[in-house]
Amino acid sequence: MDITVAIDAMGGDHGPHVTVPAALKFLSENPEVNIILVGLQDALEVELKAHRATIGPRLRIHHASEVVAMDESPALALKSKKDSSMRVAANLIKTGEAHACVSAGNTGALMAISRFVLKTLPGIERPAIAKLMPSMRGSVCMLDLGANVDCSPEQLLQFGIMGAMLVSAVHHKSNPTVGLLNIGSEEIKGNEVVKQAGELLRKSGLNYAGNVEGNDIYLGTTDVVVCDGFTGNVALKTSEGLAKMVGTFLSEEFKRNVYSKLAGVIAFPVLQSFKDRVDSRRYNGASLLGLRGVVVKSHGGADEFAFRYALGQAVEEVRNKVLHRIAEKIAEQIPSHPPEAAD
Amino acid sequence: MDITVAIDAMGGDHGPHVTVPAALKFLSENPEVNIILVGLQDALEVELKAHRATIGPRLRIHHASEVVAMDESPALALKSKKDSSMRVAANLIKTGEAHACVSAGNTGALMAISRFVLKTLPGIERPAIAKLMPSMRGSVCMLDLGANVDCSPEQLLQFGIMGAMLVSAVHHKSNPTVGLLNIGSEEIKGNEVVKQAGELLRKSGLNYAGNVEGNDIYLGTTDVVVCDGFTGNVALKTSEGLAKMVGTFLSEEFKRNVYSKLAGVIAFPVLQSFKDRVDSRRYNGASLLGLRGVVVKSHGGADEFAFRYALGQAVEEVRNKVLHRIAEKIAEQIPSHPPEAAD
């Protein structure tokens, strides 16, 4: 099956300078993928030319006259920029021209536009941002990472279902374990929402492993970690800050004096393979789950290497029919929503 | 001024095996400090004997016949164990025999017992758990780390005041900056409680720096980071998990083959100084702030080295009159509470 991905080519801190070369490299590595670059025709042509590339049967440009700024209000972007590269890219899913859309742009705007254009799957109240992160046992899928500040117990259950389906589809784990992020492993811990969500998850058909704590994310205690968007966003960004501090300190120690510099040269291949292993670029690409379309958000500062991982995430979700699986499981759990409305 | 610290000598995963040698070493290094070891007399005498130490004018044993288990219900510990080492140690502050108490025991029980025995300072609704953490600019004080799952805006303001006073007293920063943990730097971000807390902090006399995000904790953007206990606990434990994963991966890479093992030997002093710099043991000792007494919680798994840091934290809080400063600032901010009730 050929898969067509629409790229919001203007999105992110670097726009076409990253999205275009990433698209070209990705196309050369994935013969079954087609790409539509969405954005300012002129800018995209210049960038293609700079890479001695041209459009063709697997790569085309779809002009969009506006660009959503990284710091623009999502509501304003939705209301006033109807021809933004982000919105046109989402529209291409709706019209059936693309199977998925990838953007490194403004997260809030991407969520607002995707919800407006694509709508949510039956039985899903609100989409969530899900992301794979490295763990001591491989990887862990965490959601929500910031789309929903306040969540109901029912929404947390929906997140659990969506996360489990993403992991089972893309990572081929048949019955992934789901943990509920809390501040203690006992059932009595946490606030009312978390306690009630625990009840719903326990009664669900998911492989529910009970409460997990912050350290369990990286220990890889469960395959999926469910939380509200406030907590998830804080956990994710705290991790980013700590990783940066650790990296800086390590680098500083190896630059301290002549001996440590020499040690750094000798240890370089080892440090490099460590760095590769925790390289956040390999985990780039957060899924906006719960929509009637595959939408993947790349980190705004992603380089070409990282952006290709976001493209890969989108392709894998289409290939493994994540939306269909979510719709089926939601219908199974919440029988008032038949799955046929999903695809 | 002589400072007397009551140690819950039975608390923690290792009990007297850690608390007694830590107390002996701490006494030898701090001539102005006296220590009361609280716990089972026989067990403490055996441990003292094992270290060829005896009681004396600066070190005494206060017998307590019961011990709170690490997994015991706080409510049960409070209700049924009136002669626990934890409770007796807190009581020694109330009777004026000790200036501070340090325990590596059950956090929930220590909080419940301390609140019951010591009560909160005027104007403080609930105590918070505050902890210094390393940051790229030195250190950052974060609170609450788990005592209060749901917080009102007023409580978050109180946490801000307490955190700022702790940092100004113990770290001699005259006007520490206070950040409110949120999921975006704009004022409109976050849930209702956080938005209202932002309003209160803005109007307060504190050096309020606005919203901070998870990454700002370790970047050291502000001196104090205020959050509810659920979010704070998740951020802290997520950090613990990530630190463990990073440490494990780094160690695994240096053990991968003959070359990397050799590189590890050569890089050992550099890696060791990196490890020292991020050594969580140097940050051991969380303060239960807002009580009418200095209570410090050591990590349950603390070794002798780490436990001494918790003792040091308690002594510094007493020496720098943290309680007095908190009471004064609260009275200034919330004028219905005169500071004279504090000390």
Side-chain angles (χ1 to χ4, degrees):
Chain A
M1 166 198 177
D2 264 23
I3 295 168
T4 301
V5 179
I7 297 179
D8 164 17
M10 310 308 289
D13 300 342
H14 314 293
H17 298 314
V18 158
T19 56
V20 171
L24 294 172
K25 185 89 193 271
F26 194 80
L27 281 174
S28 73
E29 287 170 345
N30 296 274
E32 80 293 6
V33 173
N34 307 317
I35 284 177
I36 308 173
L37 295 170
V38 183
L40 301 168
Q41 179 117 18
D42 294 351
L44 296 178
E45 278 173 357
V46 167
E47 194 63 36
L48 280 176
K49 208 173 164 188
H51 291 88
R52 296 163 199 272
T54 49
I55 55 166
R58 292 179 54 215
L59 176 68
R60 65 182 181 95
I61 292 175
H62 191 112
H63 179 66
S65 63
E66 293 170 306
V67 177
V68 175
M70 290 304 274
D71 55 356
E72 197 164 336
S73 138
L76 209 67
L78 177 64
K79 210 170 136 187
S80 66
K81 290 194 173 164
K82 293 192 177 152
D83 198 37
S84 72
S85 55
M86 194 183 269
R87 180 138 172 193
V88 173
N91 254 328
L92 290 174
I93 303 180
K94 203 185 170 191
T95 59
E97 289 169 81
H99 297 95
C101 133
V102 177
S103 173
N106 183 324
T107 311
L110 183 63
M111 182 55 96
I113 287 171
S114 303
R115 275 190 75 185
F116 180 80
V117 171
L118 300 168
K119 315 296 180 214
T120 54
L121 287 169
I124 302 288
E125 292 167 54
R126 288 181 58 99
I129 301 174
K131 198 175 175 312
L132 271 192
M133 317 216 285
S135 88
M136 286 174 74
R137 293 194 193 163
S139 65
V140 56
C141 171
M142 191 161 162
L143 73 169
D144 174 33
L145 294 176
N148 308 284
V149 166
D150 291 305
C151 294
S152 67
E154 289 74 21
Q155 284 175 311
L156 292 173
L157 168 65
Q158 291 160 21
F159 297 172
I161 293 170
M162 297 195 292
M165 291 307 100
L166 181 69
V167 170
S168 75
V170 176
H171 295 272
H172 312 293
K173 282 189 184 171
S174 62
N175 199 13
T177 51
V178 177
L180 179 64
L181 192 59
N182 205 332
I183 61 169
S185 53
E186 307 86 1
E187 285 180 22
I188 53 149
K189 290 272 185 177
N191 56 34
E192 272 314 305
V193 171
V194 169
K195 281 182 209 168
Q196 287 175 34
E199 279 300 307
L200 294 178
L201 283 160
R202 226 181 321 281
K203 287 185 212 150
S204 79
L206 296 173
N207 190 0
Y208 180 56
N211 289 334
V212 293
E213 298 186 69
N215 50 336
D216 289 302
I217 300 168
Y218 293 103
L219 298 182
T221 307
T222 56
D223 298 312
V224 179
V225 171
V226 170
C227 58
D228 67 70
F230 191 96
T231 313
N233 189 275
V234 166
L236 180 70
K237 291 200 173 148
T238 299
S239 302
E240 287 175 8
L242 179 56
K244 181 159 185 181
M245 185 180 83
V246 166
T248 304
F249 283 5
L250 195 56
S251 150
E252 280 175 5
E253 290 306 325
F254 274 107
K255 283 177 188 155
R256 196 168 286 284
N257 54 43
V258 178
Y259 179 84
S260 64
K261 279 178 192 164
L262 180 68
V265 171
I266 292 164
F268 180 78
V270 186
L271 294 171
Q272 194 55 43
S273 75
F274 163 71
K275 216 173 141 187
D276 285 349
R277 202 162 158 193
V278 290
D279 190 351
S280 64
R281 298 182 304 165
R282 292 176 191 272
Y283 291 88
N284 185 39
S287 310
L288 272 53
L289 285 184
L291 297 163
R292 293 175 190 241
V294 170
V295 179
V296 170
K297 164 76 175 83
S298 158
H299 197 285
D303 61 11
E304 187 229 298
F305 179 86
F307 196 76
R308 280 190 277 134
Y309 276 85
L311 293 174
Q313 176 69 25
V315 167
E316 287 308 308
E317 286 184 32
V318 175
R319 198 196 311 270
N320 295 292
K321 302 186 171 49
V322 169
L323 300 196
H324 181 73
R325 289 187 193 225
I326 291 174
E328 266 196 347
K329 196 75 176 180
I330 287 282
E332 195 185 304
Q333 294 283 326
I334 309 160
S336 59
H337 300 283
E340 58 271 21
D343 273 3
Chain B
M1 168 198 172
D2 264 23
I3 295 169
T4 301
V5 179
I7 297 178
D8 164 16
M10 311 308 290
D13 299 343
H14 313 294
H17 298 312
V18 157
T19 56
V20 171
L24 294 171
K25 186 88 192 276
F26 194 81
L27 280 175
S28 73
E29 287 169 344
N30 296 275
E32 80 292 5
V33 172
N34 307 316
I35 284 177
I36 308 173
L37 295 169
V38 183
L40 300 167
Q41 178 118 21
D42 293 352
L44 296 178
E45 278 173 354
V46 167
E47 195 62 37
L48 280 176
K49 208 172 163 188
H51 290 87
R52 296 164 200 273
T54 50
I55 55 167
R58 293 179 53 215
L59 176 68
R60 66 184 181 92
I61 293 175
H62 191 113
H63 179 66
S65 63
E66 293 170 306
V67 177
V68 175
M70 290 304 274
D71 56 356
E72 198 163 337
S73 138
L76 209 68
L78 177 64
K79 208 171 136 187
S80 68
K81 290 193 173 164
K82 294 192 176 153
D83 198 39
S84 71
S85 54
M86 192 182 269
R87 179 140 175 190
V88 173
N91 253 327
L92 290 174
I93 303 180
K94 201 183 171 194
T95 58
E97 289 169 80
H99 298 95
C101 132
V102 177
S103 174
N106 183 325
T107 311
L110 182 63
M111 183 54 96
I113 286 171
S114 302
R115 275 190 77 186
F116 180 82
V117 172
L118 300 169
K119 314 297 180 212
T120 53
L121 287 168
I124 302 288
E125 290 166 55
R126 288 182 57 101
I129 301 175
K131 198 172 173 318
L132 272 192
M133 317 215 287
S135 90
M136 285 176 73
R137 293 196 192 162
S139 64
V140 55
C141 171
M142 190 163 164
L143 73 170
D144 173 32
L145 294 176
N148 307 284
V149 167
D150 292 305
C151 295
S152 67
E154 289 74 21
Q155 284 174 313
L156 292 174
L157 168 64
Q158 291 159 22
F159 297 172
I161 294 170
M162 296 196 293
M165 293 305 101
L166 181 67
V167 169
S168 75
V170 175
H171 295 273
H172 312 294
K173 283 189 183 171
S174 63
N175 200 14
T177 51
V178 177
L180 180 63
L181 192 59
N182 205 331
I183 61 169
S185 52
E186 307 85 4
E187 284 180 22
I188 53 148
K189 290 274 185 176
N191 57 32
E192 273 314 304
V193 170
V194 169
K195 281 183 210 168
Q196 288 177 32
E199 279 299 306
L200 294 178
L201 282 160
R202 226 181 320 282
K203 287 186 213 149
S204 78
L206 296 173
N207 189 1
Y208 179 56
N211 289 335
V212 292
E213 297 187 69
N215 49 337
D216 290 303
I217 300 168
Y218 292 104
L219 298 183
T221 307
T222 56
D223 298 312
V224 178
V225 171
V226 171
C227 58
D228 68 70
F230 191 95
T231 312
N233 189 276
V234 167
L236 180 71
K237 290 197 174 151
T238 299
S239 303
E240 286 174 8
L242 178 56
K244 182 161 185 179
M245 185 181 83
V246 166
T248 304
F249 283 3
L250 195 58
S251 150
E252 279 174 6
E253 290 307 325
F254 274 107
K255 283 178 189 155
R256 195 168 286 283
N257 56 42
V258 178
Y259 179 84
S260 64
K261 278 179 192 162
L262 180 68
V265 171
I266 292 163
F268 181 77
V270 186
L271 294 170
Q272 193 57 43
S273 75
F274 164 72
K275 213 172 143 189
D276 285 350
R277 204 163 157 193
V278 291
D279 188 352
S280 64
R281 298 182 305 164
R282 292 177 192 271
Y283 291 88
N284 185 39
S287 309
L288 272 54
L289 284 185
L291 297 163
R292 293 174 190 242
V294 169
V295 179
V296 170
K297 164 74 174 85
S298 159
H299 197 285
D303 61 10
E304 188 228 298
F305 179 86
F307 196 77
R308 279 189 280 134
Y309 275 85
L311 293 175
Q313 176 70 23
V315 167
E316 287 309 308
E317 286 184 31
V318 174
R319 199 196 312 268
N320 295 292
K321 299 188 172 47
V322 169
L323 300 196
H324 181 72
R325 287 184 193 228
I326 292 174
E328 263 194 350
K329 196 75 176 178
I330 288 281
E332 196 184 303
Q333 293 283 327
I334 309 160
S336 60
H337 299 284
E340 58 270 22
D343 273 5

